[in-house]
Amino acid sequence: MVAVHIPGAEASRVAFFGLFALQHRGQESAGIAAADGFEINVHTDMGLVTQIFRERDFFPLAGEFAIGHTRYSTTGSSHLCNAQPLVVQGRAGKLALAHNGNIINASQLKTQLEDQWGCRFNSTTDSEVIAYQLANSPGDSWEERVFHCMRTLEGAFSLVAMNENTIIAARDPLGIRPLCLGKLGDGWVVASESCALDHLGADFLRDVAPGEVVVIDRDGLRSAVRPDSDKRRAMCVFEHIYFARPDSILDGTLVYSARQQMGAQLAREHPVDADLVVGIPDSSTAAAVGYAKESGIPYSDGLIKNRYVGRTFIEPEQSLRDLGVRQKFNPLTEVIQGQRLVVVDDSIVRGTTTPHVIRVLRRAGAREIHIRVCAPPIKFPCYMGVDMADQSELIAANKTVEEIRVMAGADSLGYLSVEGLLRVAGKDDGGFCDACFTGNYPVPVQLQLGKLVLES
């Protein structure tokens, strides 16, 4: 997700490169909306950013304001109607919006919006609920409207929105999903992660604070923090483990460094005699380096990743995840043959990847395979913006660690503890959402709430 204001330039082209840097956050659909002070135009489609946009697609996207989104579905199915940015019409006029996270009371809000304002929904995603809610909220300023939304929306949201001449960005009061602010020449950039700012040549200024709204127009930038918000924080710890790029800075912490520390803590908690440490590329590489440094066991590449296969975790269907995993890795046989391996993985969710990787390594001649996971066992669904499926699909919710080890075919299996994870992530006194490990959700949730709750 990205928002750009570049005075006197076509912001949509800058937004394109910002989205390209954020492709890891979603691979189902993408889009850009642009405004020139008079009207909003939008282009969305299914697929990757480079598949969706051609030179001809930028001609209608003129103007110095733009917002963009690359989607990984967490509410609503993988269809074009759910591609973002979404454009709605409300009391405050026309509004385009893109959103990361999940609104757990979206179904109730949708009914209220239909009954009270006659809103007609064209998608099955909670993002359109937010868009209509914001476009119809009371208030004389965008800050007042966003604060009203914050009091009604339950769950996780980092969002960017835009009318004909203004960009609005906001982060929920708990700060569950990331959002940051940068300066590009005389303009401004808001993005889900700081790596997008780096690729654009923008200067990273700071994170958007939890409960903050940022408004950008031709007069410059202003911001305000919701005055009645408390000090509780619940940033998604899975961003540090897997989701964010390692070169991003989240709440003041470089993700690569956090993952190295997770690997080092994993080595302290689960030592083993072995010859080599290898990581499952790419999200586990930093943790594998950290494990190797702490344990004194040499690190080596053992698997080569096909760079043209996307992130199988965020594929919308299990059959696609299975197919993607089979195409994803190839072993360096001469490196691993006859070796006792520590194989570091970022997480085990459904159990799709791990057994396949172990079979690949066994066929390549690995003598022993010791799996070390730099996340605790994932036992509970996420309702805050990560599609971890329901509890029946989560392998750690239905099998013991020993049963998972046997199923995967490993010689040993060790998970990082919740306490160890939070300690090395820098907030052992709270400040993270760890509900997928503990079941302690930062806001009350309905455990039967499903991804397709808004489907007709």
Side-chain angles (χ1 to χ4, degrees):
M1 188 175 67
V2 65
V4 179
H5 174 228
I6 306 293
E10 291 191 12
S12 61
R13 295 179 183 271
V14 178
F16 167 84
F17 288 105
L19 288 184
F20 188 63
L22 296 171
Q23 185 73 84
H24 62 284
R25 298 192 67 87
Q27 299 163 8
E28 296 177 41
S29 62
I32 293 174
D36 58 3
F38 301 99
E39 60 180 349
I40 299 173
N41 291 299
V42 62
H43 177 74
T44 60
D45 207 342
M46 304 299 293
L48 303 178
V49 174
T50 54
Q51 296 169 329
I52 292 171
F53 290 96
R54 297 291 184 264
E55 180 62 28
R56 64 179 180 273
D57 299 316
F58 289 100
F59 294 135
L61 299 177
E64 57 190 48
F65 300 92
I67 64 173
H69 187 267
T70 181
R71 184 171 187 254
Y72 145 62
S73 58
T74 56
T75 298
S77 52
S78 183
H79 291 296
L80 181 58
C81 67
N82 291 327
Q84 300 181 39
L86 300 162
V87 180
V88 302
Q89 183 80 36
R91 292 197 307 165
K94 184 180 284 190
L95 191 72
L97 181 138
H99 155 241
N100 288 341
N102 266 73
I103 304 303
I104 59 176
N105 63 335
S107 183
Q108 300 94 304
L109 292 175
K110 180 181 178 182
T111 300
Q112 293 173 14
L113 288 163
E114 289 172 329
D115 293 344
Q116 184 173 359
W117 299 108
C119 299
R120 301 187 62 173
F121 287 82
N122 297 308
S123 77
T124 59
T125 175
D126 53 352
S127 302
E128 191 175 17
V129 174
I130 301 174
Y132 271 121
Q133 186 78 11
L134 181 55
N136 290 286
S137 286
D140 297 326
S141 68
W142 284 112
E143 291 92 330
E144 291 178 1
R145 296 180 190 116
V146 173
F147 290 153
H148 178 269
C149 280
M150 286 184 182
R151 288 188 286 269
T152 60
L153 299 173
E154 297 176 8
F157 57 90
S158 284
L159 63 87
V160 292
M162 180 183 68
N163 68 5
E164 293 84 354
N165 53 25
T166 305
I167 285 173
I168 308 102
R171 192 176 179 195
D172 70 74
L174 294 174
I176 299 174
R177 304 252 72 85
L179 196 64
C180 65
L181 175 66
K183 193 82 170 68
L184 181 59
D186 294 329
W188 303 91
V189 181
V190 179
S192 295
E193 294 181 37
S194 64
C195 64
L197 307 180
D198 297 336
H199 284 284
L200 296 177
D203 294 323
F204 170 68
L205 299 181
R206 60 179 178 85
D207 293 295
V208 175
E212 182 181 12
V213 55
V214 175
V215 179
I216 301 168
D217 56 24
R218 286 170 176 161
D219 294 327
L221 179 146
R222 64 183 189 271
S223 73
V225 176
R226 180 180 158 187
D228 57 342
S229 60
D230 60 30
K231 299 300 183 182
R232 282 196 312 138
R233 299 292 180 261
M235 184 175 186
C236 173
V237 74
F238 209 63
E239 292 277 356
H240 285 276
I241 294 169
Y242 170 84
F243 221 85
R245 262 180 45 168
D247 53 337
S248 287
I249 297 172
L250 299 183
D251 282 354
T253 300
L254 179 66
V255 174
Y256 186 89
S257 298
R259 290 177 184 167
Q260 273 198 326
Q261 290 300 313
M262 291 174 198
Q265 180 67 19
L266 192 55
R268 291 188 284 269
E269 293 184 11
H270 296 284
V272 65
D273 289 330
D275 304 310
L276 286 177
V277 177
V278 301
I280 299 180
D282 288 316
S283 52
S284 306
T285 301
V289 171
Y291 191 104
K293 287 182 177 179
E294 180 67 23
S295 66
I297 302 170
Y299 169 83
S300 175
D301 291 329
L303 293 164
I304 298 301
K305 180 182 177 182
N306 183 344
R307 303 295 175 185
Y308 299 96
V309 176
R311 305 184 89 174
T312 50
F313 172 84
I314 62 176
E315 290 285 3
E317 298 177 12
Q318 182 63 37
S319 60
L320 294 177
R321 286 189 287 270
D322 291 336
L323 183 61
V325 166
R326 287 197 292 272
Q327 306 296 322
K328 198 169 186 177
F329 302 112
N330 202 40
L332 293 171
T333 302
E334 292 187 7
V335 173
I336 64 180
Q337 190 169 30
Q339 301 294 304
R340 298 172 300 166
L341 303 180
V342 176
V343 180
V344 179
D345 201 356
D346 54 73
S347 59
I348 300 177
V349 182
R350 300 171 179 89
T352 301
T353 300
T354 307
H356 172 75
V357 168
I358 292 176
R359 287 194 297 270
V360 167
L361 294 172
R362 293 283 190 201
R363 285 197 299 267
R367 184 152 55 97
E368 294 178 10
I369 299 175
H370 303 276
I371 298 293
R372 296 294 181 265
V373 186
C374 62
I378 295 172
K379 298 181 178 181
F380 301 91
C382 176
Y383 301 105
M384 302 296 150
V386 179
D387 180 23
M388 286 187 175
D390 60 46
Q391 204 160 16
S392 65
E393 296 177 275
L394 299 175
I395 193 168
N398 300 283
K399 294 181 183 294
T400 66
V401 172
E402 175 60 15
E403 288 172 335
I404 296 171
R405 181 197 70 77
V406 172
M407 181 275 301
D411 292 284
S412 71
L413 172 62
Y415 287 90
L416 185 60
S417 67
V418 175
E419 296 77 15
L421 169 64
L422 297 181
R423 187 178 307 120
V424 299
K427 298 182 181 180
D428 55 346
D429 59 347
F432 279 124
C433 176
D434 58 8
C436 53
F437 314 127
T438 65
N440 299 320
Y441 295 95
V443 295
V445 299
Q446 299 173 339
L447 295 183
Q448 73 277 14
L449 187 69
K451 173 179 175 178
L452 304 181
V453 65
L454 298 178
E455 298 282 339
S456 299

PDB file of all heavy atoms in Angstrom, residues 57-80:
ATOM      1  N   ASP A  57      -1.710   2.444 -19.667  1.00  0.00           N
ATOM      2  CA  ASP A  57      -2.560   2.510 -18.481  1.00  0.00           C
ATOM      3  C   ASP A  57      -2.299   3.749 -17.648  1.00  0.00           C
ATOM      4  O   ASP A  57      -3.139   4.122 -16.814  1.00  0.00           O
ATOM      5  CB  ASP A  57      -2.353   1.258 -17.620  1.00  0.00           C
ATOM      6  CG  ASP A  57      -2.711  -0.020 -18.354  1.00  0.00           C
ATOM      7  OD1 ASP A  57      -3.758  -0.030 -19.028  1.00  0.00           O
ATOM      8  OD2 ASP A  57      -1.938  -1.001 -18.275  1.00  0.00           O
ATOM      9  N   PHE A  58      -1.148   4.396 -17.851  1.00  0.00           N
ATOM     10  CA  PHE A  58      -0.823   5.573 -17.049  1.00  0.00           C
ATOM     11  C   PHE A  58      -1.411   6.865 -17.620  1.00  0.00           C
ATOM     12  O   PHE A  58      -1.516   7.860 -16.898  1.00  0.00           O
ATOM     13  CB  PHE A  58       0.698   5.716 -16.901  1.00  0.00           C
ATOM     14  CG  PHE A  58       1.311   4.682 -16.009  1.00  0.00           C
ATOM     15  CD1 PHE A  58       1.942   3.567 -16.550  1.00  0.00           C
ATOM     16  CD2 PHE A  58       1.247   4.809 -14.633  1.00  0.00           C
ATOM     17  CE1 PHE A  58       2.508   2.606 -15.731  1.00  0.00           C
ATOM     18  CE2 PHE A  58       1.809   3.855 -13.795  1.00  0.00           C
ATOM     19  CZ  PHE A  58       2.443   2.744 -14.351  1.00  0.00           C
ATOM     20  N   PHE A  59      -1.804   6.855 -18.886  1.00  0.00           N
ATOM     21  CA  PHE A  59      -2.341   8.080 -19.470  1.00  0.00           C
ATOM     22  C   PHE A  59      -3.582   8.595 -18.739  1.00  0.00           C
ATOM     23  O   PHE A  59      -3.700   9.801 -18.488  1.00  0.00           O
ATOM     24  CB  PHE A  59      -2.631   7.879 -20.962  1.00  0.00           C
ATOM     25  CG  PHE A  59      -1.389   7.653 -21.793  1.00  0.00           C
ATOM     26  CD1 PHE A  59      -1.352   6.653 -22.757  1.00  0.00           C
ATOM     27  CD2 PHE A  59      -0.257   8.430 -21.597  1.00  0.00           C
ATOM     28  CE1 PHE A  59      -0.202   6.432 -23.512  1.00  0.00           C
ATOM     29  CE2 PHE A  59       0.897   8.224 -22.344  1.00  0.00           C
ATOM     30  CZ  PHE A  59       0.915   7.217 -23.301  1.00  0.00           C
ATOM     31  N   PRO A  60      -4.534   7.736 -18.358  1.00  0.00           N
ATOM     32  CA  PRO A  60      -5.685   8.256 -17.593  1.00  0.00           C
ATOM     33  C   PRO A  60      -5.342   8.586 -16.137  1.00  0.00           C
ATOM     34  O   PRO A  60      -6.122   9.256 -15.472  1.00  0.00           O
ATOM     35  CB  PRO A  60      -6.696   7.099 -17.650  1.00  0.00           C
ATOM     36  CG  PRO A  60      -6.192   6.164 -18.694  1.00  0.00           C
ATOM     37  CD  PRO A  60      -4.725   6.322 -18.718  1.00  0.00           C
ATOM     38  N   LEU A  61      -4.192   8.096 -15.660  1.00  0.00           N
ATOM     39  CA  LEU A  61      -3.844   8.267 -14.249  1.00  0.00           C
ATOM     40  C   LEU A  61      -2.986   9.512 -14.046  1.00  0.00           C
ATOM     41  O   LEU A  61      -1.926   9.473 -13.427  1.00  0.00           O
ATOM     42  CB  LEU A  61      -3.112   7.026 -13.737  1.00  0.00           C
ATOM     43  CG  LEU A  61      -3.890   5.711 -13.803  1.00  0.00           C
ATOM     44  CD1 LEU A  61      -3.028   4.549 -13.346  1.00  0.00           C
ATOM     45  CD2 LEU A  61      -5.173   5.800 -12.957  1.00  0.00           C
ATOM     46  N   ALA A  62      -3.456  10.627 -14.579  1.00  0.00           N
ATOM     47  CA  ALA A  62      -2.715  11.887 -14.459  1.00  0.00           C
ATOM     48  C   ALA A  62      -2.988  12.531 -13.105  1.00  0.00           C
ATOM     49  O   ALA A  62      -4.010  12.275 -12.467  1.00  0.00           O
ATOM     50  CB  ALA A  62      -3.117  12.829 -15.585  1.00  0.00           C
ATOM     51  N   GLY A  63      -2.057  13.374 -12.698  1.00  0.00           N
ATOM     52  CA  GLY A  63      -2.262  14.125 -11.467  1.00  0.00           C
ATOM     53  C   GLY A  63      -1.140  13.928 -10.477  1.00  0.00           C
ATOM     54  O   GLY A  63      -0.359  12.985 -10.561  1.00  0.00           O
ATOM     55  N   GLU A  64      -1.071  14.839  -9.511  1.00  0.00           N
ATOM     56  CA  GLU A  64       0.017  14.823  -8.553  1.00  0.00           C
ATOM     57  C   GLU A  64      -0.322  14.086  -7.258  1.00  0.00           C
ATOM     58  O   GLU A  64       0.468  14.066  -6.321  1.00  0.00           O
ATOM     59  CB  GLU A  64       0.451  16.255  -8.233  1.00  0.00           C
ATOM     60  CG  GLU A  64      -0.647  17.149  -7.698  1.00  0.00           C
ATOM     61  CD  GLU A  64      -0.215  18.603  -7.626  1.00  0.00           C
ATOM     62  OE1 GLU A  64       0.350  19.103  -8.625  1.00  0.00           O
ATOM     63  OE2 GLU A  64      -0.418  19.233  -6.563  1.00  0.00           O
ATOM     64  N   PHE A  65      -1.508  13.462  -7.214  1.00  0.00           N
ATOM     65  CA  PHE A  65      -1.903  12.641  -6.076  1.00  0.00           C
ATOM     66  C   PHE A  65      -2.176  11.220  -6.563  1.00  0.00           C
ATOM     67  O   PHE A  65      -2.821  11.030  -7.595  1.00  0.00           O
ATOM     68  CB  PHE A  65      -3.174  13.172  -5.401  1.00  0.00           C
ATOM     69  CG  PHE A  65      -3.065  14.572  -4.875  1.00  0.00           C
ATOM     70  CD1 PHE A  65      -3.427  15.658  -5.661  1.00  0.00           C
ATOM     71  CD2 PHE A  65      -2.610  14.810  -3.583  1.00  0.00           C
ATOM     72  CE1 PHE A  65      -3.339  16.948  -5.177  1.00  0.00           C
ATOM     73  CE2 PHE A  65      -2.514  16.103  -3.087  1.00  0.00           C
ATOM     74  CZ  PHE A  65      -2.877  17.171  -3.885  1.00  0.00           C
ATOM     75  N   ALA A  66      -1.712  10.219  -5.820  1.00  0.00           N
ATOM     76  CA  ALA A  66      -1.987   8.834  -6.197  1.00  0.00           C
ATOM     77  C   ALA A  66      -1.908   7.940  -4.969  1.00  0.00           C
ATOM     78  O   ALA A  66      -1.123   8.196  -4.043  1.00  0.00           O
ATOM     79  CB  ALA A  66      -1.007   8.338  -7.267  1.00  0.00           C
ATOM     80  N   ILE A  67      -2.736   6.903  -4.965  1.00  0.00           N
ATOM     81  CA  ILE A  67      -2.620   5.846  -3.971  1.00  0.00           C
ATOM     82  C   ILE A  67      -2.622   4.514  -4.706  1.00  0.00           C
ATOM     83  O   ILE A  67      -3.181   4.391  -5.805  1.00  0.00           O
ATOM     84  CB  ILE A  67      -3.756   5.877  -2.923  1.00  0.00           C
ATOM     85  CG1 ILE A  67      -5.118   5.608  -3.579  1.00  0.00           C
ATOM     86  CG2 ILE A  67      -3.755   7.198  -2.175  1.00  0.00           C
ATOM     87  CD1 ILE A  67      -6.250   5.451  -2.568  1.00  0.00           C
ATOM     88  N   GLY A  68      -1.966   3.520  -4.130  1.00  0.00           N
ATOM     89  CA  GLY A  68      -1.884   2.214  -4.775  1.00  0.00           C
ATOM     90  C   GLY A  68      -1.934   1.089  -3.761  1.00  0.00           C
ATOM     91  O   GLY A  68      -1.709   1.291  -2.560  1.00  0.00           O
ATOM     92  N   HIS A  69      -2.226  -0.110  -4.248  1.00  0.00           N
ATOM     93  CA  HIS A  69      -2.400  -1.260  -3.365  1.00  0.00           C
ATOM     94  C   HIS A  69      -2.049  -2.525  -4.125  1.00  0.00           C
ATOM     95  O   HIS A  69      -2.329  -2.660  -5.325  1.00  0.00           O
ATOM     96  CB  HIS A  69      -3.861  -1.328  -2.899  1.00  0.00           C
ATOM     97  CG  HIS A  69      -4.141  -2.357  -1.856  1.00  0.00           C
ATOM     98  ND1 HIS A  69      -4.566  -3.632  -2.161  1.00  0.00           N
ATOM     99  CD2 HIS A  69      -4.072  -2.298  -0.502  1.00  0.00           C
ATOM    100  CE1 HIS A  69      -4.739  -4.311  -1.032  1.00  0.00           C
ATOM    101  NE2 HIS A  69      -4.454  -3.528  -0.013  1.00  0.00           N
ATOM    102  N   THR A  70      -1.398  -3.458  -3.441  1.00  0.00           N
ATOM    103  CA  THR A  70      -1.212  -4.800  -3.972  1.00  0.00           C
ATOM    104  C   THR A  70      -1.818  -5.757  -2.968  1.00  0.00           C
ATOM    105  O   THR A  70      -1.509  -5.697  -1.767  1.00  0.00           O
ATOM    106  CB  THR A  70       0.272  -5.090  -4.256  1.00  0.00           C
ATOM    107  OG1 THR A  70       0.415  -6.393  -4.789  1.00  0.00           O
ATOM    108  CG2 THR A  70       1.150  -4.921  -3.036  1.00  0.00           C
ATOM    109  N   ARG A  71      -2.721  -6.629  -3.428  1.00  0.00           N
ATOM    110  CA  ARG A  71      -3.631  -7.321  -2.519  1.00  0.00           C
ATOM    111  C   ARG A  71      -3.253  -8.771  -2.248  1.00  0.00           C
ATOM    112  O   ARG A  71      -2.841  -9.505  -3.134  1.00  0.00           O
ATOM    113  CB  ARG A  71      -5.063  -7.284  -3.086  1.00  0.00           C
ATOM    114  CG  ARG A  71      -6.112  -7.902  -2.143  1.00  0.00           C
ATOM    115  CD  ARG A  71      -7.525  -7.640  -2.638  1.00  0.00           C
ATOM    116  NE  ARG A  71      -8.494  -8.075  -1.651  1.00  0.00           N
ATOM    117  CZ  ARG A  71      -9.251  -9.164  -1.761  1.00  0.00           C
ATOM    118  NH1 ARG A  71      -9.151  -9.925  -2.843  1.00  0.00           N
ATOM    119  NH2 ARG A  71     -10.105  -9.505  -0.812  1.00  0.00           N
ATOM    120  N   TYR A  72      -3.419  -9.114  -0.986  1.00  0.00           N
ATOM    121  CA  TYR A  72      -3.392 -10.484  -0.499  1.00  0.00           C
ATOM    122  C   TYR A  72      -4.674 -10.623   0.304  1.00  0.00           C
ATOM    123  O   TYR A  72      -4.874  -9.935   1.297  1.00  0.00           O
ATOM    124  CB  TYR A  72      -2.117 -10.671   0.331  1.00  0.00           C
ATOM    125  CG  TYR A  72      -2.179 -11.572   1.533  1.00  0.00           C
ATOM    126  CD1 TYR A  72      -2.482 -12.912   1.409  1.00  0.00           C
ATOM    127  CD2 TYR A  72      -1.880 -11.078   2.803  1.00  0.00           C
ATOM    128  CE1 TYR A  72      -2.498 -13.727   2.519  1.00  0.00           C
ATOM    129  CE2 TYR A  72      -1.881 -11.888   3.911  1.00  0.00           C
ATOM    130  CZ  TYR A  72      -2.204 -13.215   3.774  1.00  0.00           C
ATOM    131  OH  TYR A  72      -2.219 -14.035   4.870  1.00  0.00           O
ATOM    132  N   SER A  73      -5.598 -11.441  -0.148  1.00  0.00           N
ATOM    133  CA  SER A  73      -6.950 -11.421   0.408  1.00  0.00           C
ATOM    134  C   SER A  73      -6.995 -11.992   1.820  1.00  0.00           C
ATOM    135  O   SER A  73      -6.538 -13.099   2.072  1.00  0.00           O
ATOM    136  CB  SER A  73      -7.912 -12.193  -0.500  1.00  0.00           C
ATOM    137  OG  SER A  73      -7.495 -13.528  -0.670  1.00  0.00           O
ATOM    138  N   THR A  74      -7.545 -11.195   2.745  1.00  0.00           N
ATOM    139  CA  THR A  74      -7.800 -11.646   4.102  1.00  0.00           C
ATOM    140  C   THR A  74      -9.282 -11.565   4.444  1.00  0.00           C
ATOM    141  O   THR A  74      -9.746 -12.251   5.352  1.00  0.00           O
ATOM    142  CB  THR A  74      -6.991 -10.812   5.116  1.00  0.00           C
ATOM    143  OG1 THR A  74      -7.306  -9.426   4.953  1.00  0.00           O
ATOM    144  CG2 THR A  74      -5.502 -11.022   4.907  1.00  0.00           C
ATOM    145  N   THR A  75     -10.013 -10.692   3.775  1.00  0.00           N
ATOM    146  CA  THR A  75     -11.478 -10.691   3.812  1.00  0.00           C
ATOM    147  C   THR A  75     -11.964 -10.566   2.371  1.00  0.00           C
ATOM    148  O   THR A  75     -11.548  -9.659   1.655  1.00  0.00           O
ATOM    149  CB  THR A  75     -12.036  -9.521   4.637  1.00  0.00           C
ATOM    150  OG1 THR A  75     -11.598  -9.637   5.990  1.00  0.00           O
ATOM    151  CG2 THR A  75     -13.559  -9.522   4.620  1.00  0.00           C
ATOM    152  N   GLY A  76     -12.839 -11.480   1.961  1.00  0.00           N
ATOM    153  CA  GLY A  76     -13.310 -11.478   0.585  1.00  0.00           C
ATOM    154  C   GLY A  76     -12.443 -12.343  -0.303  1.00  0.00           C
ATOM    155  O   GLY A  76     -11.246 -12.509  -0.074  1.00  0.00           O
ATOM    156  N   SER A  77     -13.048 -12.902  -1.327  1.00  0.00           N
ATOM    157  CA  SER A  77     -12.365 -13.848  -2.202  1.00  0.00           C
ATOM    158  C   SER A  77     -11.445 -13.125  -3.183  1.00  0.00           C
ATOM    159  O   SER A  77     -11.424 -11.902  -3.265  1.00  0.00           O
ATOM    160  CB  SER A  77     -13.393 -14.691  -2.964  1.00  0.00           C
ATOM    161  OG  SER A  77     -14.330 -13.851  -3.607  1.00  0.00           O
ATOM    162  N   SER A  78     -10.698 -13.914  -3.932  1.00  0.00           N
ATOM    163  CA  SER A  78      -9.723 -13.375  -4.880  1.00  0.00           C
ATOM    164  C   SER A  78     -10.407 -13.119  -6.223  1.00  0.00           C
ATOM    165  O   SER A  78     -10.314 -13.922  -7.146  1.00  0.00           O
ATOM    166  CB  SER A  78      -8.554 -14.362  -5.036  1.00  0.00           C
ATOM    167  OG  SER A  78      -7.579 -13.847  -5.889  1.00  0.00           O
ATOM    168  N   HIS A  79     -11.090 -11.986  -6.311  1.00  0.00           N
ATOM    169  CA  HIS A  79     -11.809 -11.592  -7.526  1.00  0.00           C
ATOM    170  C   HIS A  79     -11.543 -10.122  -7.822  1.00  0.00           C
ATOM    171  O   HIS A  79     -11.197  -9.339  -6.921  1.00  0.00           O
ATOM    172  CB  HIS A  79     -13.313 -11.836  -7.387  1.00  0.00           C
ATOM    173  CG  HIS A  79     -13.701 -13.277  -7.349  1.00  0.00           C
ATOM    174  ND1 HIS A  79     -13.499 -14.129  -8.414  1.00  0.00           N
ATOM    175  CD2 HIS A  79     -14.254 -14.030  -6.368  1.00  0.00           C
ATOM    176  CE1 HIS A  79     -13.929 -15.341  -8.102  1.00  0.00           C
ATOM    177  NE2 HIS A  79     -14.387 -15.306  -6.863  1.00  0.00           N
ATOM    178  N   LEU A  80     -11.762  -9.742  -9.074  1.00  0.00           N
ATOM    179  CA  LEU A  80     -11.475  -8.376  -9.507  1.00  0.00           C
ATOM    180  C   LEU A  80     -12.288  -7.347  -8.735  1.00  0.00           C
ATOM    181  O   LEU A  80     -11.798  -6.245  -8.461  1.00  0.00           O
ATOM    182  CB  LEU A  80     -11.734  -8.233 -11.007  1.00  0.00           C
ATOM    183  CG  LEU A  80     -11.463  -6.852 -11.614  1.00  0.00           C
ATOM    184  CD1 LEU A  80     -10.012  -6.427 -11.375  1.00  0.00           C
ATOM    185  CD2 LEU A  80     -11.777  -6.848 -13.110  1.00  0.00           C
TER     186      LEU A  80
END
